[in-house]
């Protein structure tokens, strides 16, 4: 019974994170998932003023999310940026400090804002600038307001609806 409660909480936290993203990024697409043992995958178009089209970022929530940090990767363009590695995975100081209280939406918004202020450049070579350690940051880690208490205060109907909204 304890294992089921833990699994339910993990699924609720994933659903909450996914629904926050889908509300903010209405063009985002949730990839089909066969069952709860598969990673959740969301494609998010990051609209950047100085770009011709959106930069699509794939967000993967591993099975053990939020204990395990999300994986972010640019999927539609070969671009360079200090937050984009050679394999087009996205890095950020907030990912380095990821924990179960971190907010996925705040992470994505921070990355989007960074790309807006310093847009990724089209890569002519295979090398990206990578590793954000070159820049000094004074970023306060976003805190998700006690998600557990929010979940505990929800009715069973609200919890069921939250889980069903993901599909």
């Amino acid at each position: 019974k304890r294992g089921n409660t833990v699994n339910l909480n993990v699924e609720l936290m994933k659903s909450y994170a996914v629904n926050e993203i889908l509300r903010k990024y209405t063009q985002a697409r949730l990839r089909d998932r066969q069952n709860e043992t598969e990673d959740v995958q969301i494609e998010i178009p990051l609209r950047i003023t100085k770009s011709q089209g959106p930069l699509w970022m794939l967000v993967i929530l591993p099975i053990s999310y939020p204990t395990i940090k999300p994986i972010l990767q640019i999927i539609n363009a070969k671009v360079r940026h200090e937050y984009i590695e050679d394999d087009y995975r996205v890095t950020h100081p907030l990912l380095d400090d990821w924990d179960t209280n971190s907010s996925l939406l705040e992470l994505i918004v921070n990355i989007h804002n960074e790309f807006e202020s310093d847009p990724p450049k089209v890569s002519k070579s295979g090398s990206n600038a990578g590793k954000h350690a070159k820049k000094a940051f004074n970023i306060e880690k976003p805190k998700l307001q006690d998600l557990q208490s929010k979940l505990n205060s929800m009715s069973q109907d609200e919890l069921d609806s939250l889980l069903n909204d993901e599909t």
Side-chain angles (χ1 to χ4, degrees):
K1 177 131 175 128
R2 170 97 174 107
N4 289 343
T5 302
V6 170
N7 289 342
L8 179 61
N9 283 341
V10 166
E11 283 304 307
L12 286 171
M13 291 176 86
K14 280 182 197 173
S15 292
Y16 184 87
V18 166
N19 283 314
E20 266 195 322
I21 289 168
L22 295 177
R23 279 192 292 277
K24 169 84 176 161
Y25 294 94
T26 57
Q27 303 277 318
R29 302 183 296 222
L30 189 59
R31 289 186 176 177
D32 284 339
R33 208 173 142 198
Q34 300 305 313
N35 57 53
E36 292 174 2
T37 62
E38 288 187 5
D39 296 341
V40 173
Q41 297 185 8
I42 313 162
E43 296 175 357
I44 303 172
L46 302 178
R47 302 213 180 279
I48 300 168
T49 306
K50 297 175 185 168
S51 295
Q52 291 182 359
L55 189 62
W56 283 87
M57 183 167 63
L58 177 64
V59 177
I60 300 171
L61 305 183
I63 293 168
S64 297
Y65 172 89
T67 305
I68 304 295
K69 66 184 172 184
I71 300 163
L72 312 173
Q73 187 169 23
I74 301 302
I75 56 174
N76 73 320
K78 294 182 179 177
V79 290
R80 296 182 333 277
H81 190 278
E82 69 180 287
Y83 288 148
I84 301 174
E85 298 294 329
D86 287 339
D87 62 359
Y88 303 104
R89 285 196 183 208
V90 178
T91 63
H92 193 276
L94 296 176
L95 263 176
D96 294 342
D97 296 332
W98 186 265
D99 66 29
T100 56
N101 292 317
S102 298
S103 166
L104 181 63
L105 180 62
E106 288 297 319
L107 169 68
I108 292 168
V109 167
N110 270 281
I111 291 168
H112 192 178
N113 290 342
E114 178 64 30
F115 288 171
E116 183 66 38
S117 67
D118 179 19
K121 312 285 185 277
V122 174
S123 178
K124 293 189 170 79
S125 70
S127 179
N128 291 320
K131 284 297 173 201
H132 50 266
K134 301 173 194 163
K135 196 171 181 181
F137 292 99
N138 187 15
I139 296 177
E140 195 170 315
K141 183 177 177 184
K143 296 287 183 203
L144 189 59
Q145 300 169 336
D146 196 8
L147 179 57
Q148 190 64 44
S149 69
K150 281 185 183 181
L151 292 173
N152 290 338
S153 69
M154 295 173 84
S155 71
Q156 188 60 48
D157 288 342
E158 290 171 315
L159 294 172
D160 291 343
S161 172
L162 185 60
L163 281 172
N164 291 332
D165 282 350
E166 183 182 325
T167 56

